[in-house]
Amino acid sequence: MPRHIAVTMDGNGRWAKKRGLPRSAGHAVGAETFRTIATYCKDIGVQYFTVYALSTENWKRPKEEVDALMELFRKYLREAAETMAERGVAVRVLGNCTPLPDDIKALIGETERIADTLGEGAATASLCINYGGRNEITNAARRVAERVRAGTLDPKDITEETIGAELYTAHLPDPDLIIRPSGEIRLSNFLLWQSAYAEYYFTPILWPDFTTRDLDDAIDDFNRRSRRFGGVK
Ligand code: IPE
Ligand code: IPE
Ligand code: MG
C-alpha cells in the first residue's frame, strides 16, 4: 500500500459543463468525491492523503467560481472540526493562507488545533489551498536566506533537508503516488519538490466521477511499477 497518495482534483468544470450545470455544481460533487476517497484511504491503510484543491493560479477564475470554492472550503472545514476526532483523520491545510477570508483562516486555525490533539494512529488528510509548488520553494528560499543573514546558518550547511523542512509538507513523507484525473497530463505546479521520485498515474476520468474502484486501479498500477530511485533492481 502506498504510504502517501496525492491527487490533483481536476475535471469538475468539464463534468458540470457536460450536464449543462454551472461549474460550481461540479466543485460541489467533487467535494463529495474528496470525502469518499479520503475516508476510503483511511480504511485501506493509506496513512497520508493529500489533495490539490486551489492553486495559486486559480484566483484568475471568475469571482463567482472562486466564491463557490470558498464556500465549499468553509463547509468542509466546519465539518472536519466536528468529525475529525471520531473519524481518526487529522485534516491539515497546506498553502499560503494570507489571502483567504478571515473566517476561513479562523476555521483553518481551529482545524489545526484539533488535528494536533489526535494521536499517532490518526491518518492525515491534507488540503492544498492557495498552494503553488514554486511559491512554496520561493518562500522556503526566503526563510533560509533570512537565517543566513541573521548569522544562524552557514550557506555550506544548507542541505536538501534544510529546504524540505521549510516547505508546507515538512511534516509529511514524500508522496509515493500522484494521481491526476481529467485527462490532463501535466503537473500544474503541484508538489514540485516533493514529487522527485513519485509515481504518476493519469486517467481520463473526471474527478466528480472518480470512485473507490478507480483508486484501487491506480494502486494496482502503482504496485506493478519498479521503483529504483536511481539505483539498479
Ligand atoms: C478542478 O477542476 C478544481 C479546481 C481547480 C478548483 P476544474 O475546475 O479545473 O475543472 P476543469 O479542468 O475546468 O474541468
Ligand atoms: C490544477 O488544476 C489545480 C487544481 C486542481 C486545484 P487546473 O485546472 O487549475 O490546472 P490547469 O489550468 O488545467 O493546468
Ligand atoms: Mg482543471
Side-chain angles (χ1 to χ4, degrees):
M1 197 53 73
R3 190 169 167 220
H4 183 178
I5 297 180
V7 177
T8 294
M9 302 193 290
D10 198 16
N12 297 348
R14 278 163 283 172
W15 184 92
K17 194 172 177 199
K18 270 191 358 198
R19 287 162 179 77
L21 297 169
R23 295 177 59 84
S24 56
H27 296 313
V29 178
E32 288 304 321
T33 305
F34 164 66
R35 284 184 182 84
T36 305
I37 301 296
T39 305
Y40 186 65
C41 278
K42 148 107 183 133
D43 292 346
I44 62 175
V46 173
Q47 212 179 335
Y48 301 94
F49 179 58
T50 300
V51 293
Y52 203 4
L54 188 81
S55 74
T56 46
E57 290 74 35
N58 287 146
W59 297 99
K60 53 176 90 134
R61 296 187 177 200
K63 184 178 181 298
E64 61 175 36
E65 181 172 350
V66 172
D67 287 348
L69 287 164
M70 293 300 147
E71 197 47 46
L72 288 170
F73 297 150
R74 240 175 229 120
K75 194 172 158 207
Y76 180 75
L77 289 167
R78 271 194 215 113
E79 178 188 303
E82 279 170 23
T83 60
M84 219 188 307
E86 168 198 329
R87 289 193 189 160
V89 180
V91 174
R92 307 240 175 221
V93 173
L94 315 182
N96 173 14
C97 294
T98 312
L100 299 176
D102 286 342
D103 68 312
I104 294 187
K105 276 190 242 182
L107 283 167
I108 292 172
E110 170 74 356
T111 311
E112 293 279 328
R113 199 186 55 72
I114 299 171
D116 287 342
T117 67
L118 302 184
E120 291 276 299
T124 299
S126 306
L127 214 51
C128 298
I129 298 180
N130 191 25
Y131 173 89
R134 286 187 169 183
N135 175 260
E136 178 182 42
I137 295 167
T138 305
N139 290 340
R142 188 176 303 119
R143 278 197 292 271
V144 169
E146 275 161 8
R147 283 161 62 193
V148 169
R149 185 172 63 179
T152 57
L153 179 67
D154 188 325
K156 71 176 182 331
D157 295 329
I158 298 173
T159 62
E160 294 184 6
E161 286 70 31
T162 315
I163 307 292
E166 296 291 348
L167 304 177
Y168 295 121
T169 52
H171 55 290
L172 299 174
D174 283 345
D176 300 295
L177 170 63
I178 300 182
I179 300 170
R180 177 144 192 180
S182 93
E184 307 300 357
I185 306 182
R186 55 177 169 256
L187 308 186
S188 302
N189 209 5
F190 189 40
L191 300 177
L192 299 184
W193 174 279
Q194 300 84 344
S195 62
Y197 274 100
E199 297 296 327
Y200 278 98
Y201 182 83
F202 296 99
T203 167
I205 297 162
L206 303 174
W207 177 246
D209 290 328
F210 196 91
T211 64
T212 55
R213 271 287 306 274
D214 298 317
L215 188 75
D216 289 340
D217 288 347
I219 294 172
D220 287 347
D221 196 275
F222 170 85
N223 283 324
R224 287 193 294 271
R225 313 250 183 118
S226 165
R227 298 183 85 189
R228 291 186 290 278
F229 299 96
V232 181
K233 225 176 203 174

